[in-house]
Amino acid sequence: MVAGKKSEPSVRYALIDCDPGVDDALALAMGFASPFFRYAAVTTVHGNVSARLAYRNARRVVSFLRGHLESSIPDVPVYPGASLALDGSRLNRSESRMIHGPEGMGAMFDKKRRLPRLGRGSSKPAWEVLVGHALKRGSQLTIITLGPLTNLALALRHAPEVFSRVKRIVVMGGAARMPGNVTPAAEFNIYCDPLAAKEVFSSGLPITMVGLDVTRRALLSVDEFKGGGSFRAALRDLIRVYARFAKKRRRAENITLHDPLALAVAMKPDLVETASCRVDVDASQGIARGMTVVDLRENKESRVKNPVDVALDLDVKGFLAFFISHLREYRGWDVDEE
């Protein structure tokens, strides 16, 4: 250290890779309201919607959220990512449209609400952005993936050595001891690109898997979105289709906060209990395609090769309180300013 200069306090950076998507937007809302991370970038990927819509939706959501925050945050650049799985396969999104709406944002940006300007964009591909920030930020960087793992797998193929420097990778995806949600075997994000997931989980990097074992317990009553001001009304429109699907499918007046939970775990790891396990992914074309095979045997070798921290239990009340407390940081959650 140079004499007379004080060392700068360590800054925690995060990069969010997502496919917005209703719960992706809710995750971004929660994350941006917290001072825990400084957001280096948002990258987008095919998944809930096409890659084109994911990129547009993310830019629009980032702009919308920054415009409503009580305290300002730096502009967060958004970068476009992969449009197909690594094996070139393309997903049938008919059910995704029923869950998230035809363009992924429910009714949040329909004709009755003025569209926010598109936030800062770029033509640089997502995998290149991931490599660049891993190289630049090192142990200050946490990567949170909220969609298929295609971008991260591509980045690992190009420069695997730089990702050993990052602090942690938190993956929303998979299931350890329960059925999938897109097939009996597979969770949606993993099913979208099983080969990418297989490569990521076998990489030996510090990964936390936040899958259906915990996200299916992260249920928020739709009553939380009643009343309030214009921001809460916008979120009420965001979740409208999502909540309608949940009511039809589960006969429940709540929504599942898959993606917000993964981001919350990146900020507050003690919300979940984890086990260190080997995770493999079925990348075949068979009935188990996309299944995350998690070795939970008690008599497994004490030293697991390429272990993944798999979330198995959740502090439900703690997480929901954490989530709502951050939404209160937006103007128009409770009442609008004059």
Side-chain angles (χ1 to χ4, degrees):
M1 185 173 69
V2 178
K5 276 193 175 183
K6 293 183 179 179
S7 60
E8 291 186 8
S10 179
V11 178
R12 292 178 292 247
Y13 289 93
L15 187 153
I16 296 179
D17 188 69
C18 59
D19 58 336
V22 172
D23 55 333
D24 304 74
L26 292 173
L28 290 169
M30 180 194 68
F32 285 1
S34 170
F36 188 87
F37 284 128
R38 182 178 297 176
Y39 289 91
V42 170
T43 54
T44 59
V45 68
H46 68 100
N48 290 321
V49 293
S50 68
R52 178 186 63 83
L53 281 176
Y55 178 55
R56 190 196 69 183
N57 288 350
R59 292 176 67 191
R60 191 163 279 163
V61 168
V62 167
S63 175
F64 175 80
L65 295 174
R66 290 185 68 245
H68 284 79
L69 271 173
E70 290 283 5
S71 54
S72 64
I73 62 170
D75 200 357
V76 182
V78 179
Y79 300 88
S83 58
L84 296 173
L86 291 182
D87 64 5
S89 60
R90 190 184 299 271
L91 188 71
N92 181 340
R93 295 192 176 87
S94 57
E95 186 165 88
S96 291
R97 286 190 285 272
M98 289 190 291
I99 296 171
H100 299 275
E103 296 190 346
M105 291 286 101
M108 186 177 183
F109 297 133
D110 65 12
K111 293 179 181 179
K112 78 175 185 181
R113 179 172 289 106
R114 182 179 177 183
L115 292 177
R117 67 175 181 83
L118 288 174
R120 181 177 163 198
S122 170
S123 60
K124 184 182 288 188
W127 70 261
E128 190 175 325
V129 175
L130 282 157
V131 170
H133 280 291
L135 184 62
K136 182 178 181 181
R137 307 296 181 190
S139 62
Q140 291 179 301
L141 181 68
T142 298
I143 297 170
I144 303 106
T145 67
L146 306 180
L149 289 163
T150 315
N151 289 337
L152 183 54
L154 286 170
L156 285 169
R157 287 182 174 188
H158 281 88
E161 68 286 349
V162 305
F163 289 91
S164 62
R165 309 178 187 190
V166 305
K167 182 176 179 60
R168 181 145 292 273
I169 297 169
V170 180
V171 173
M172 191 281 114
R177 53 188 183 189
M178 65 167 49
N181 60 355
V182 66
T183 73
E187 180 275 331
F188 177 81
N189 284 344
I190 306 302
Y191 183 79
C192 285
D193 196 341
L195 180 57
K198 188 179 184 72
E199 293 182 10
V200 169
F201 283 130
S202 65
S203 66
L205 296 173
I207 296 171
T208 299
M209 182 181 110
V210 181
L212 299 180
D213 301 270
V214 287
T215 65
R216 275 181 166 152
R217 297 179 59 199
L219 301 172
L220 182 69
S221 170
V222 296
D223 288 346
E224 293 287 353
F225 296 92
K226 290 181 178 178
S230 59
F231 180 78
R232 198 185 310 201
L235 295 193
R236 190 160 59 244
D237 287 340
L238 172 71
I239 70 162
R240 187 190 304 165
V241 178
Y242 197 63
R244 186 187 306 145
F245 182 86
K247 187 173 183 179
K248 182 178 179 181
R249 178 64 61 89
R250 296 186 279 106
R251 304 184 188 281
E253 297 283 352
N254 55 40
I255 59 171
T256 311
L257 299 176
H258 300 285
D259 292 342
L261 178 57
L263 181 50
V265 168
M267 294 189 278
K268 190 172 169 54
D270 62 358
L271 287 171
V272 294
E273 293 181 11
T274 63
S276 182
C277 305
R278 180 171 178 263
V279 178
D280 200 358
V281 179
D282 188 323
S284 73
Q285 296 297 326
I287 194 171
R289 178 177 173 82
M291 182 178 183
T292 44
V293 183
V294 180
D295 190 351
L296 292 167
R297 294 173 297 176
E298 291 184 4
N299 62 345
K300 66 178 183 284
E301 294 179 14
S302 58
R303 186 169 184 148
V304 179
K305 184 179 179 182
N306 298 331
V308 172
D309 289 331
V310 178
L312 297 173
D313 201 4
L314 169 67
D315 174 4
V316 177
K317 289 183 178 179
F319 164 63
L320 295 180
F322 184 84
F323 177 74
I324 291 296
S325 70
H326 286 86
L327 296 190
R328 295 187 187 281
E329 297 299 315
Y330 288 89
R331 292 188 298 273
W333 172 257
D334 289 319
V335 294
D336 290 326
E337 292 183 345
E338 294 295 332

